[in-house]
Amino acid sequence: MSLPAIAIHGGCGTLAANLQSEADWAQTRAHLEAALRAGWKILTAGGSALDAVEAAVVVLEDSPHFNAGHGAALTEQSVHELDASIMDGATLAAGGVCTVRAIRNPIRAARAVMDQSDCVLLSGDAADAFARSKGLPTVANGYFTTERRVQALASLKARAARGTIGLASEAERHGTVGAVALDRQGDLAAATSTGGFNNKPAGRVGDTPIVGAGTYARNGVCAVSCTGQGEVFMRRVAAYDVAARMSYGGQTLRQATDTLVFDVMSGHKIGAGLIAIDAFGQVCAPFNTLGMARGWIGTDGVLNVATHKDVLRMERA
Ligand code: ASP
């Protein structure tokens, strides 16, 4: 019997604090809290870490404040192509979808791939058709669009034309959502969902739907969900690297996650972050950008949410 714990993130492409109204920040934090509570309700009722991470990610996908589901990034052609994956640390079962355009909640499609197919990853129209055939709700692609992403796309295109793309902020470029959890049975799970990079070419797939790169969970070790330039996370097999550092290298969760974000990823000069939880419910959420929307309810039952450096501790969940 374990004490449950859960952590979530809303990506390391966080806006500078002065670029959004206080009302919008309050709503961002409220959506982080709602996602945590959705997962926590399942965990405290004796449910699985897998169900908890899926439920938490659905709330974040439905929020316009994060780059996943409603509020996702746009491709060069102003279309949304979404990626997601989920992994069960107890069985190492995993499922993912990439470049989907119609499934309202890509994380639910990833779960359906895991539970109801022999595949680990389905792509594009076929993945949308698969999810539809399993009864998952679909939407017109425009459902995912928000004013903020339209503006970010226009700004990135203007920067590209001027040759100043290197000056684009992390918030203009990218974002992701994710969740990791430990349940009472001692099982770990991870889930990640994203719209990827703004102004990405059609068909581009990042780390988020790739098991071992953006998402990984293995009982007895850790569960990890990553955010940052996906190409580097793929080449570094980043989420798996955290688990390998712990299981082969004997590092603690904090050592493994700090090494990955502050040594490995900072060495690549990219904005990066992750959330991770170990078999004892210890949570780490390092990031090397100016902020990373995040939250957790640890084994002490206290709910914490944050968007930048300061953490808001709340009453027991
Ligand atoms: N990892 C995501 C991707 O490359 C983006 C992000 O997390 O910000 O698609």
Side-chain angles (χ1 to χ4, degrees):
M1 205 47 186
S2 300
L3 287 173
I6 183 166
I8 58 170
H9 72 84
C12 68
T14 303
L15 282 169
N18 62 346
L19 290 184
Q20 190 172 255
S21 70
E22 194 32 56
D24 279 336
W25 283 118
Q27 195 181 62
T28 304
R29 290 192 295 270
H31 291 179
L32 290 169
E33 184 181 341
L36 281 172
R37 289 192 188 280
W40 189 243
K41 194 168 158 203
I42 291 168
L43 293 172
T44 51
S48 70
L50 202 57
D51 286 344
V53 293
E54 180 182 345
V57 167
V58 164
V59 173
L60 298 172
E61 285 179 338
D62 289 346
S63 167
H65 293 289
F66 310 108
N67 179 356
H70 178 55
L74 289 153
T75 66
E76 281 170 355
Q77 291 80 18
S78 295
V79 171
H80 302 277
E81 294 188 346
L82 314 177
D83 300 339
S85 68
I86 190 164
M87 185 163 188
D88 179 0
T91 60
L92 301 188
V97 291
C98 58
T99 63
V100 290
R101 294 174 171 214
I103 293 306
R104 181 188 159 114
N105 289 107
I107 200 65
R108 288 209 193 286
R111 177 76 187 265
V113 169
M114 182 181 119
D115 288 346
Q116 301 180 59
S117 85
D118 294 329
C119 309
V120 169
L121 182 60
L122 286 179
S123 67
D125 291 347
D128 275 320
F130 169 82
R132 199 178 284 118
S133 78
K134 299 302 174 193
L136 294 176
T138 55
V139 288
N141 194 255
Y143 158 80
F144 301 114
T145 306
T146 55
E147 189 49 37
R148 182 171 147 199
R149 298 298 172 210
V150 171
Q151 280 171 11
L153 182 67
S155 142
L156 285 178
K157 283 185 186 293
R159 285 185 190 283
R162 286 198 305 266
T164 59
I165 199 77
L167 300 177
S169 70
E170 300 282 345
E172 272 175 287
R173 289 184 218 248
H174 64 104
T176 288
V177 307
V180 293
L182 170 72
D183 65 27
R184 283 199 175 141
Q185 293 70 43
D187 292 333
L188 291 166
T192 316
S193 179
T194 192
F197 267 66
N198 283 311
N199 206 25
K200 66 185 180 181
R204 180 264 186 187
V205 177
D207 60 318
T208 300
I210 310 294
V211 169
T215 306
Y216 194 71
R218 189 162 131 215
N219 270 17
V221 186
C222 63
V224 184
S225 171
C226 299
T227 168
Q229 175 83 51
E231 285 70 12
V232 178
F233 281 77
M234 290 157 94
R235 285 154 49 203
R236 284 289 187 173
V237 200
Y240 180 75
D241 190 55
V242 171
R245 285 175 188 281
M246 293 175 70
S247 58
Y248 307 145
Q251 292 189 342
T252 63
L253 186 79
R254 178 158 309 282
Q255 288 168 336
T257 55
D258 279 359
T259 304
L260 187 89
V261 172
F262 301 118
D263 295 348
V264 177
M265 293 302 168
S266 294
H268 283 278
K269 303 204 180 337
I270 62 157
L274 60 81
I275 49 167
I277 189 167
D278 70 11
F280 308 101
Q282 159 101 21
V283 167
C284 289
F287 55 95
N288 67 4
T289 52
L290 63 90
M292 179 172 81
R294 62 202 184 281
W296 64 94
I297 303 174
T299 52
D300 59 1
V302 176
L303 189 147
N304 304 266
V305 290
T307 51
H308 298 83
K309 293 267 166 349
D310 295 341
V311 175
L312 201 66
R313 255 173 98 79
M314 302 178 83
E315 78 287 359
R316 288 176 70 83

